[in-house]
DNA sequence: CGTCTTATTGAACCGCCTCAAATTGAGTGG
DNA sequence: CCACTCAATTTGAGGCGGTTCAATAAGACG
């Protein structure tokens, strides 16, 4: 079996502060796995057999309610860890992870985590920072859902996706994986209909350019202004 | 200065797996502080000088938007850690912490964290589990805000508060600290008016008993059913 | 007893959802 | 290459949950 090239992952937050030897020892325990577009990496409620570092592609983490509605928890970009249930004291995955593109990830059996952490305490502190950042982001999301209207939330979501997984193209920044109106609705707590209407509006104003599962931000700054805007002002309100 | 009695805190999650000596060494670095009802423990954006373990009382963590709206992030109950900004890589507090009751907390200077973690790696893994749980809870909140209506969200919020900080009283379970309609609104992403209407409705149905900054759950199970209920069913719908 | 915060309640409005239907585009097999 | 199929998207019309605005009431506290 081919082992993983340490130089590819040495710069990742998870391995911050590690020497080449330690890194090699950790990587020796990992396997590299391919996940074709659309396939599940793991399912919500399933025994948490492994934790992962994404190398290529994109993975969507989502939760499903009893009523069958899905909510997108986050999108995983290359270099990020995911499925770290064991590290936070869970024996089962709290969400479903689906490859939205052909993807490659390193996978460690969950059982290796306690041993690795015991030998390399920096793994715990690095993971603590990662999980802490995610907690901050999720709090931001709660604040947005509590105080902003749908249009602003969608704008923020697109800007965040562009920052995390944007690719510069001729006319702006394109979100670098297939994403539907429905996906955006599930990220922002609204319906695909409302998202479609909003994007149509933006497209006619030249802010974005979009197609089937494809979005290009042409005017990120204008979107940013719109995202921060108080709904009371702006636009062309009729003052009687 | 009086030192802290180790037996009071030995059972806390943060200190899981620690021996008496190690615990004493850690506690030696902490100071015990009193925070009168209504006072701020720290403010959002302030330099994160300390991290805390709450011993008595209750603390509300909240974030304020640019527009001045507040959102309650969580309520801290005795035994819980808070203000661990340093541990998750922040130099400033991401939220404001306010004592909602006369409270007492242990405080460690943030500067001690790296040293303590280096010497006692279990602190990092324990904190990782705590932060991980909070991340799960916050995700649950996002899912609720995305899929449920206000009445269900308020029911969930009250049940959670009752579980975390409930006190058995004659007619049910009372939430053990002063909490206003406004506070509940800021936890559930709605307005104090809507919360007031909902609580009034429940009170007239005998589900709760409430007063000024005071709520008693008389029928927790009925509230639970209501919280899980699909809005389409239940009640007395008119079928034409 | 006066003042201030908290809570209640009515009325009107509106952002967004729901329901419904048509359209577009990509992939597939003949 | 074209017809077919199915998923994704668009768009209209109507309704409702919840907000907003406004005013009153009820406790707590000095």
């Amino acid at each position: 079996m081919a082992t993983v090239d340490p130089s590819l992952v040495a710069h990742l937050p998870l391995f911050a502060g590690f020497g080449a030897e330690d890194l090699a020892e950790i990587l020796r325990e990992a396997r590299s796995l391919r996940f074709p577009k659309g396939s599940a990496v793991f399912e919500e409620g399933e025994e948490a057999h492994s934790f992962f570092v994404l190398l290529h592609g994109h993975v969507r983490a989502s939760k499903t309610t009893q009523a069958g509605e899905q909510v997108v928890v986050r999108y995983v970009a290359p270099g990020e860890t995911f499925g770290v249930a064991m590290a936070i004291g869970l024996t089962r995955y709290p969400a479903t992870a689906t490859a939205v593109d052909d993807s490659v990830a390193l996978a460690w059996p969950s059982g290796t985590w306690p041993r690795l952490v015991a030998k390399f305490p920096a793994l715990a502190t690095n993971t603590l920072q990662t999980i802490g950042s995610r907690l901050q982001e999720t709090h931001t999301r709660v604040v947005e859902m509590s105080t902003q209207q749908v249009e602003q939330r969608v704008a923020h979501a697109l800007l965040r996706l562009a920052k995390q997984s944007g690719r510069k193209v001729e006319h702006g920044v394109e979100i670098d994986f297939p994403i539907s109106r429905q996906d955006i609705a599930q990220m922002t707590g609204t319906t695909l209909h409302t998202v479609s209407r909003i994007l149509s509006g933006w497209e006619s104003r030249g802010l974005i350019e979009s197609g089937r599962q494809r979005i290009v931000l042409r005017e990120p700054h204008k979107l940013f202004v719109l995202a921060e805007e108080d709904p009371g002002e702006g636009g062309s309100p009729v003052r009687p």
Side-chain angles (χ1 to χ4, degrees), chain A residues 8 16-17 36 56 58 73 103 127 139 143 145 154 162 166 174-175 189 207 209 212-213 229:
Chain A
L8 288 174
H56 298 299
H58 290 275
V73 172
S103 300
T127 303
H139 279 154
V143 170
M145 296 190 75
V154 172
E174 176 166 4
I175 293 170
L207 297 181
E209 189 183 310
R212 201 188 179 76
Q213 307 205 101
E229 199 166 335

Side-chain angles (χ1 to χ4, degrees), chain A residues 5 7 38 51 54 59-61 79 86 104 108 110 113 119 125 127 133 144 170 172 181 184 192 212-213 218 224 240:
Chain A
D5 183 349
S7 70
F51 64 94
L54 189 62
V59 168
R60 180 185 58 226
M86 172 63 69
V104 178
W108 284 261
S110 289
W113 175 257
K119 183 153 187 186
T125 55
T127 303
S133 300
E144 284 178 9
E170 197 173 349
R181 309 293 185 262
I184 295 170
L192 76 163
R212 201 188 179 76
Q213 307 205 101
R218 300 193 64 155
F224 181 81

Side-chain angles (χ1 to χ4, degrees), chain A residues 195-216:
Chain A
V195 172
S196 178
R197 279 181 242 271
I198 289 171
L199 295 193
S200 294
W202 290 348
E203 183 137 30
S204 70
R205 288 164 60 189
L207 297 181
I208 66 168
E209 189 183 310
S210 79
R212 201 188 179 76
Q213 307 205 101
R214 188 183 134 274
I215 300 175
V216 181

Side-chain angles (χ1 to χ4, degrees), chain A residues 29-64:
Chain A
E29 313 252 12
R31 295 198 311 141
S32 178
L33 300 178
R34 259 193 81 255
F35 298 96
K37 175 175 175 172
S39 66
V41 179
F42 53 77
E43 302 267 359
E44 184 173 354
E46 182 185 322
E47 191 76 25
H49 50 77
S50 303
F51 64 94
F52 304 85
V53 167
L54 189 62
L55 294 180
H56 298 299
H58 290 275
V59 168
R60 180 185 58 226
S62 62
K63 290 172 83 81
T64 304

Side-chain angles (χ1 to χ4, degrees), chain A residues 87-155:
Chain A
I88 59 178
L90 303 174
T91 60
R92 295 175 177 281
Y93 294 117
T96 295
T98 310
V100 295
D101 245 355
D102 288 339
S103 300
V104 178
L106 292 179
W108 284 261
S110 289
T112 62
W113 175 257
R115 188 158 40 79
L116 288 175
V117 162
K119 183 153 187 186
F120 306 109
L123 282 179
T125 55
N126 289 343
T127 303
L128 186 49
Q129 309 238 339
T130 299
I131 299 294
S133 300
R134 293 213 208 132
L135 181 58
Q136 296 312 310
E137 288 160 17
T138 310
H139 279 154
T140 300
R141 196 165 157 188
V142 168
V143 170
E144 284 178 9
M145 296 190 75
S146 296
T147 62
Q148 301 183 329
Q149 357 212 108
V150 172
E151 186 171 22
Q152 299 173 309
R153 302 206 301 265
V154 172

